[in-house]
């Protein structure tokens, strides 16, 4: 069993990893940066290492060599990358291996292969995993793109091979726009990722986004832990997730799980991984990509399976076999995760900066809150705006929704604006409640981004009036005595 | 005694109007009924308004003269308090006023752009931070002077700017 | 009495006819309140006594009309929140509020009464300017008003409230008074109006752009306050009055407060960031320290890098001045120096103690400042602080370098008490500049100048730029726990209650103008 772990991450995931590692008796190391010397995650770890002074050109948690040096100099056995930062950086994983540091995640070659979107598609094709029609390789020029687009049928999407996040991506609906869009996508890909290669894929309008959690050990055992429904998204950012998905029945689940497991087996996957699919309105699913790390929304899977995913990662990295077989995995009840971000929903989800003056968290046996901040924490432009993840479990989907609503009603933050009213609005939305929503949900089904109640508006009006009358009333008194000594001298000096 | 002062809470967002009558330096009347409510400061720092047996967590986000932005249960409501006359005048001025126009946000001093905190197309309110300009070895917050939509951003992070260089253009609402 | 009484009543009715519905409607349609309504809002109900309501205009050709009682201005006295105040309200609906000889004489009469009785005087300006038909008589009327403005300056508080046009010579009276309020959207102040500007310079500009409330409260600094409308403006005037004494012999009104003097605020320890380059909002500090967090800011939008305003501490009215690190790093420049100097002068005239919160890295450099005489304007602030004989207390929050240290009410120029927070850095110049000068040679020769600079800067902060050296030498009376700021300042203030010093007699000093 691994005895020490350096967590090369911050915020809530660092707290999360430390929590499990400590429970397992493993010594945890956290990294302190100048930007947040008093961050909460530092009190979750056993030992704190200071990140060395550099010229700051590379962000601390992206500075591979310095991070490796910290692990080596302190003789730390393993490294956990969390999510984001270096979590899917094959070079970092390789460097760890070269320096004899255990990397808690898949092998660098697997990270590399799955990180390259085109390579990933080729592997998926080999396993006969359903995919969207399009190119299996990068497209050489506009002519080739046009031919493929014709074959596959419009609309198509041009995607960058070397990266994602919406950059180097262009949706093309007609043949006429293809040349322009092609040029835009390739130049954007070049400036964002240094590689102009793009490929063409059929574009699905408003699909559902379903991902499957797989876990594999170094002995060839691969198991899936069910799916997560992640269609509530805004500009490709997930805002709310749930497990399982209301769109899957046992048959479909089995089909998709089989594909996910096949993919993992093909690359001899190790550790935690997530296979993302798009689901159309007719029950057809298509492979999108595979994420070779632990994901933000992993708690909903933990809630319905009763398994600790971070613990699984650590055990696998220590060489142990998976503690469960597929038959032993059962999905119980329903879990919903709300991402509470410091954003002003009413102003287009603009970041709400400031200091969290007070927090009141909901309590309950079926409520879990993962957070990396506390009262007094400052929300700065340097890091993401996540305040907390609220995960609620229920016996049924209906119960989970009601419990989530209840928990949101008890969740109060003072000092910044949050997405809590948005999450409430989603919970109360008819389309969300009947489960028939897809990735266009936020744009098309929500009239108002927040749940406004008439009573609340009245309270605001009343309060404003109350404060106004108090502020504009000056305090008066008729006290006007002056010490005679002062008066005499004052007159003399005039 | 006094007939009481009529005050109207007016919301610019949806033109909602709530009329209250303020009497005796103390009492609020709504639709001719005296309002019974309490403002409670809890020990953990939260402020609650208790009315008709229900407690609502509230927070004043900002106050500019007679305009208040108040969060009730995390949702933001902005009201300005007017008298019947000033409301009439406000609505009249709003109709007559020349509302169009781009506002240019300029650098108040030479320096380096550290961070740009808004995007084109983003809605901003007066007082929102647009960017952070480093000058005199200090970080200065450049704030929006008017509410509107960000029309264009003429600089990027690490740009060096001179005094009065145009940084951001906002389409005033 | 019979017939004599009937005639008296008849005359009253004629006056009422002047204030008919059309009178109110016309003004309301312009988005303004009538002079009568403004007076009613300003004064406590039923306390206003009007003088010279029937005075007819001087010029004969107007005298025939019955709609010209009062000659376009309502003058009189009454109580504002229980205190005796004189006021005049120009009436735009009567002869356009234009100033003729009688109009001016009415104003002059109450100016004299206010001076005689030591009461504040408030002018509600809403006038078309001098009455052309009356020629030099109008001009002479203005001259008389200006003269009395100057004679009363610093003796009784004079407040001007611009609630309509104020053009040409008419703007000089407000300029001579202590505070100017403007009502946004409907008031303008300029010496030469847009028509003449167009004629002479061929420049097209609207009255709002030339001299509206927004321009004067943010760019020129002529207006100390700009409120959304007439009602809020008058509420603002009443608020201001509650901080001022009635005349220069009285103390400002003391209001025993239930905000305990001993209130400790631990959050004050967290407001100043550890990183000396990071900004914070000094108004947060102010609000935590004053009674009930109530701070009435003066000139909020002009020179925002310097904050001035009134508050109470321990019930006593104080004038607060502070550098604002959030804007322009809190440096002093021309605008902020003049804003501060003016505020100090007013407080000194009316026995209001000065509390200064300091965090200033220096004066703003550059040819723009130098060529526009920052030397003189900075000196104004220095002069004002030195000249003031009211109690003066300073709290150094963070930076205090060089000339700015001296200017911001240091003990050397006569500050009574100087406190400092542990984060204070008092030095001739900041670490960066000082190291560059002192260790020029070493830095040039160093293998790693960046590291050496950091090291030396740290040493500089430890050895020189900290408050303890100043404390040991007595230039800082005490380095205090930020949480106890309120307590320390109020106690110092109380000890200075009977402060009385004299300065050498002379006709008047020569503040650099």
């Amino acid at each position: 069993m691994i005895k020490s772990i350096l967590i090369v991450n911050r915020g809530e995931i660092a707290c999360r990893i430390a929590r499990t590692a400590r429970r397992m008796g493993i010594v945890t190391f956290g990294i302190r940066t100048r930007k947040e010397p008093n961050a909460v995650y530092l009190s979750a770890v056993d030992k704190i290492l200071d990140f060395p002074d550099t010229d700051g050109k590379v962000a601390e948690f992206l500075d591979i060599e310095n991070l490796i040096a910290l692990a080596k100099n302190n003789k730390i056995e393993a490294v956990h990358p969390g999510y984001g930062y270096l979590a899917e950086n094959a070079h970092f994983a390789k460097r760890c291996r070269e320096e004899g540091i255990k990397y808690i995640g898949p092998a660098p070659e697997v990270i590399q292969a799955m990180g390259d979107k085109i390579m990933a598609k080729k592997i998926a094709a080999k396993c006969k995993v359903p995919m969207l029609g399009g190119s299996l390789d990068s497209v050489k020029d506009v002519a080739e793109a046009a031919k493929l687009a014709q074959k596959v049928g419009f609309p198509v999407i041009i995607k960058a091979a070397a990266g994602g996040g919406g950059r180097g991506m262009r949706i093309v609906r007609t043949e006429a726009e293809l040349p322009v869009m092609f040029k835009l996508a390739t130049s954007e890909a070049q400036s964002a990722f240094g590689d102009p290669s793009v490929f063409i894929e059929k574009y699905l309008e408003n699909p559902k986004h379903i991902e499957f959690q797989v876990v594999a050990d170094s002995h060839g055992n691969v198991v899936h832990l069910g799916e997560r429904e992640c269609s509530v998204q805004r500009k490709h950012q997930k805002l709310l997730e749930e497990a399982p998905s209301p769109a899957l029945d046992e048959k479909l689940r089995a089909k998709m799980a089989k594909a996910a497991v096949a993919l993992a087996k093909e690359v001899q996957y190790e550790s935690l991984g997530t296979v993302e699919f798009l689901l159309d309105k007719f029950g057809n699913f298509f492979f999108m990509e595979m994420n070779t790390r632990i994901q933000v929304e992993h708690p909903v899977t933990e809630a319905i399976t009763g398994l600790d995913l971070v613990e699984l990662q650590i055990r696998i990295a220590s060489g142990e076999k998976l503690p469960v077989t597929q038959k032993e995995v059962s999905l119980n009840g329903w879990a919903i995760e709300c991402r509470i971000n410091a954003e002003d929903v009413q102003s287009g989800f603009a970041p709400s900066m400031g200091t969290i003056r007070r927090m009141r968290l909901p309590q309950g046996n079926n409520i879990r809150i993962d957070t990396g901040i506390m009262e007094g924490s400052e929300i700065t432009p340097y890091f993401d705006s996540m305040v907390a993840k609220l995960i609620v479990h229920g016996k049924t989907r209906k119960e989970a929704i009601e419990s989530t609503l209840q928990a949101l009603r008890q969740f109060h933050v003072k000092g910044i604006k949050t997405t809590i009213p948005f999450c409430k609005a989603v919970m109360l939305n008819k389309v969300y409640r009947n489960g028939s929503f897809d990735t266009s949900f936020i744009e098309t089904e929500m009239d108002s981004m927040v749940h406004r109640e008439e009573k609340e508006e009245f309270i605001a009006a009343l309060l404003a009036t109350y404060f106004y009358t108090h502020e504009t009333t000056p305090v008066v008194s008729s006290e006007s005595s002056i010490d005679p000594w002062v008066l005499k001298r004052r007159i003399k000096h005039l | 005694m006094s007939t009481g002062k009529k005050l109207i809470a007016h919301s610019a967002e949806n033109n909602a109007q709530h009329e209250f009558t303020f009497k005796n330096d103390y009492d609020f009347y709504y639709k001719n009924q005296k309002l019974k409510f309490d403002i409670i400061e809890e020990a953990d720092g939260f402020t609650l308004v208790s009315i008709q047996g229900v407690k609502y967590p509230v927070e004043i986000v900002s106050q500019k003269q007679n305009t208040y932005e108040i969060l009730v249960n995390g949702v933001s409501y902005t009201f300005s308090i007017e008298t019947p006359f000033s409301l009439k005048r406000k609505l009249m001025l709003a109709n007559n006023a020349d509302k169009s126009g781009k506002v240019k946000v300029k650098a108040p001093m030479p320096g380096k752009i550290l961070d740009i905190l808004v995007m084109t197309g983003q809605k901003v309110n007066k007082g929102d931070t647009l960017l952070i300009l480093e000058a005199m070895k200090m970080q200065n917050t450049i704030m929006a002077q008017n509410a509107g939509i960000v029309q264009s951003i003429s600089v990027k992070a690490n740009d060096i700017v001179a005094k009065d260089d145009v940084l951001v253009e906002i389409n005033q609402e | 009495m019979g017939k004599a009484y009937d005639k008296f009543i008849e005359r009253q009715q004629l006056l009422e006819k002047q204030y008919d519905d059309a009178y109110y409607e016309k003004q309301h349609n312009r988005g303004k309140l009538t002079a009568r309504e403004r007076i009613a809002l300003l004064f406590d109900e039923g306390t206003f006594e009007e003088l010279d309501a029937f005075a007819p205009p001087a010029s004969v050709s107007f005298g025939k009309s019955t709609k010209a009682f009062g000659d376009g201005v309502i003058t009189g006295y009454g109580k504002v929140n229980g205190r005796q105040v004189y006021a005049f309200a120009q009436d735009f609906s009567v002869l356009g509020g234009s100033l003729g000889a009688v109009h001016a004489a009415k104003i002059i009469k109450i100016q004299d009464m206010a001076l005689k009785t030591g009461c504040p005087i408030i002018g509600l300006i809403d006038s078309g300017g001098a009455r052309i038909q009356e020629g030099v008589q109008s001009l002479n009327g203005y001259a008389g008003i200006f003269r009395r403005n100057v004679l009363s300056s610093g003796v009784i508080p004079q407040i001007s409230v611009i609630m309509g046009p104020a053009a040409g010579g008419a703007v000089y009276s407000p300029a001579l008074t202590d505070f100017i309020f403007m009502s946004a959207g409907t008031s303008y102040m300029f010496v030469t109006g847009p028509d003449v500007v167009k004629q002479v310079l061929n420049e097209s500009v609207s009255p709002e752009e030339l001299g509206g409330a927004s321009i004067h409260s943010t760019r020129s600094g002529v207006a100390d306050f700009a409120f959304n409308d007439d009602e809020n403006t008058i509420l603002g005037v009443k608020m201001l009055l509650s901080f001022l004494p009635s005349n220069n012999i009285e103390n400002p009104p003391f209001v025993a407060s239930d905000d305990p003097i001993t209130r400790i605020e631990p959050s004050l320890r967290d407001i100043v960031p550890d990183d000396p380059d990071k900004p914070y909002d000094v108004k947060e500090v102010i609000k935590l320290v004053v009674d009930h967090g109530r701070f009435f800011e003066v000139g909020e939008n002009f020179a925002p890098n310097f904050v001035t305003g009134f508050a109470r501490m321990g019930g006593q009215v104080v004038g607060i001045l502070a550098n604002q690190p959030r804007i322009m790093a809190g440096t002093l420049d021309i605008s902020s120096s003049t804003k501060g100097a003016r505020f100090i002068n007013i407080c000194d005239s009316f026995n209001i103690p000065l509390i200064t919160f300091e965090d200033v890295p220096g004066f703003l450099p550059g040819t723009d400042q130098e060529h526009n005489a920052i030397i003189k304007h900075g000196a104004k602030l220095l002069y004002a602080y030195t000249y003031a004989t009211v109690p003066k207390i300073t709290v150094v929050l963070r930076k205090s370098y060089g000339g700015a240290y001296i200017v911001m009410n240091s003990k050397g120029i006569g500050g009574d008490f100087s406190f400092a927070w542990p984060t204070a850095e008092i030095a001739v110049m900041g670490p960066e500049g000082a190291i560059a000068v002192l260790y020029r040679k070493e830095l040039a020769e160093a293998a790693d100048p960046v590291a050496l600079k950091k090291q030396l800067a740290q040493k500089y902060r430890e050895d020189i730029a900290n408050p303890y050296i100043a404390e040991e030498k007595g230039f800082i009376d005490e380095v205090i726990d930020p949480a106890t700021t309120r307590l320390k300042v109020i106690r110092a203030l109380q000890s200075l209650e009977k402060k009385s010093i004299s300065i050498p007699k002379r006709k008047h000093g020569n503040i650099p103008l």
Side-chain angles (χ1 to χ4, degrees), chain C residues 188-223:
Chain C
Y188 325 104
M189 281 176 86
F190 29 70
V191 177
T192 330
D195 301 332
V196 182
V197 170
K198 180 80 200 222
Q199 264 177 36
V200 175
L201 296 173
N202 204 27
E203 189 188 325
S204 268
V205 64
S206 69
E208 182 66 35
E209 283 175 312
L210 188 57
S214 159
I215 297 287
H216 283 307
S217 61
T218 53
R219 278 242 246 144
S220 68
V222 167

Side-chain angles (χ1 to χ4, degrees), chain B residues 65-66 83 89 137 139-140 143, chain C residues 31 184 226 228 231 277 328:
Chain B
Q65 289 188 18
N66 62 336
T83 59
R89 173 200 142 112
K137 281 286 168 188
Q139 298 169 9
N140 298 274
M143 299 178 276
Chain C
N228 286 341
E231 264 118 330
D277 292 335
M328 286 169 61

Side-chain angles (χ1 to χ4, degrees), chain A residues 4-145:
Chain A
S4 56
I5 297 181
L6 173 65
I7 303 173
V8 295
N9 211 306
R10 52 168 297 279
E12 71 90 16
I13 192 65
C15 294
R16 166 77 192 87
I17 297 166
R19 196 163 71 221
T20 290
R22 284 181 104 180
R23 182 170 53 75
M24 295 170 72
I26 301 172
V27 178
T28 50
F29 288 79
I31 300 173
R32 176 164 51 201
T33 65
R34 284 282 194 84
K35 293 195 179 99
E36 38 170 18
N38 300 311
V40 173
Y41 72 89
L42 292 169
S43 35
V45 297
D46 295 311
K47 299 200 180 181
I48 300 176
L49 300 175
D50 280 298
F51 193 83
D53 273 335
T54 62
D55 58 11
K57 285 212 179 92
V58 181
E60 294 87 345
F61 293 107
L62 291 175
D63 192 335
I64 296 180
E65 290 313 316
N66 271 315
L67 291 172
I68 301 251
L70 274 173
K72 280 193 79 178
N73 296 342
N74 292 281
K75 298 196 181 31
I76 306 173
E77 211 181 317
V79 134
H80 196 310
Y83 54 67
Y85 292 116
L86 294 168
E88 283 177 288
N89 187 311
H91 179 68
F92 177 58
K94 186 150 163 249
R95 286 291 298 128
C96 286
R97 185 168 62 189
E98 283 168 1
E99 299 292 338
I101 304 169
K102 280 215 179 79
Y103 176 83
I104 301 179
E109 294 76 20
V110 176
I111 298 177
Q112 177 90 350
M114 292 326 233
D116 179 338
K117 306 263 179 295
I118 295 182
M119 170 65 43
K121 289 192 99 179
K122 287 202 171 108
I123 296 172
K126 241 171 97 180
C127 313
K128 300 206 181 4
V129 167
M131 274 189 302
L132 286 170
S135 58
L136 262 185
D137 235 313
S138 61
V139 175
K140 275 198 295 309
D141 52 31
V142 189
E144 194 184 331

Side-chain angles (χ1 to χ4, degrees), chain C residues 19 22 37 82 91 116 155 174 180 222 248 287 347 358 371 418 478 482 493:
Chain C
Y19 300 115
E37 289 167 313
D91 201 337
K116 199 160 58 169
V155 181
I180 298 182
V222 167
N248 64 347
K287 291 209 175 112
C347 289
E358 191 178 340
H371 292 184
S418 276
E478 188 186 351
L493 205 55

Side-chain angles (χ1 to χ4, degrees), chain A residues 235 344 346-348 350-351 353 357-360 375 381-382 409 412-418 420-421 424 450-473, chain B residues 7 9 13-14 16 18 20 22 28 30 35 37 39 42 44-49 51-52 56-61 63 65-66 68-77 79 81 115 117 122-123 125 132 139:
Chain A
K235 293 197 201 291
D344 184 352
Q346 287 159 274
S347 295
M353 244 132 7
R357 300 216 181 270
R358 291 283 188 269
M359 268 209 318
R360 239 192 223 176
E375 285 182 8
Y382 301 119
R409 288 209 166 107
H412 301 300
V413 180
K414 181 170 165 169
I416 49 153
K417 294 186 187 162
T418 68
I420 292 173
K424 275 193 214 156
V450 291
H451 176 62
R452 288 174 90 105
E453 267 177 59
E454 233 180 84
K455 246 288 136 95
E456 289 174 358
E457 189 183 290
F458 173 76
I459 300 277
L462 172 61
L463 254 194
T465 313
Y466 171 83
F467 286 127
Y468 176 76
T469 50
H470 274 63
E471 297 276 329
T472 53
T473 313
Chain B
L7 292 167
E13 306 164 300
N14 58 0
H18 299 265
F20 299 93
F22 183 54
F28 286 91
Y30 184 69
L35 282 175
F37 67 97
I39 299 185
E42 302 256 292
D44 65 355
F46 275 96
T47 311
L48 304 171
V49 168
I51 186 168
Q52 289 175 351
Y56 299 83
V58 296
E59 191 184 334
I60 304 186
V61 177
Q63 177 233 332
Q65 289 188 18
N66 62 336
Y68 294 81
E69 187 187 346
I70 299 187
L71 281 184
V72 181
N73 259 336
V75 181
S76 155
Y77 300 90
F79 281 98
I81 309 301
D115 258 306
L117 301 165
Q122 183 174 332
K123 179 164 165 251
N125 293 313
I132 302 192
Q139 298 169 9

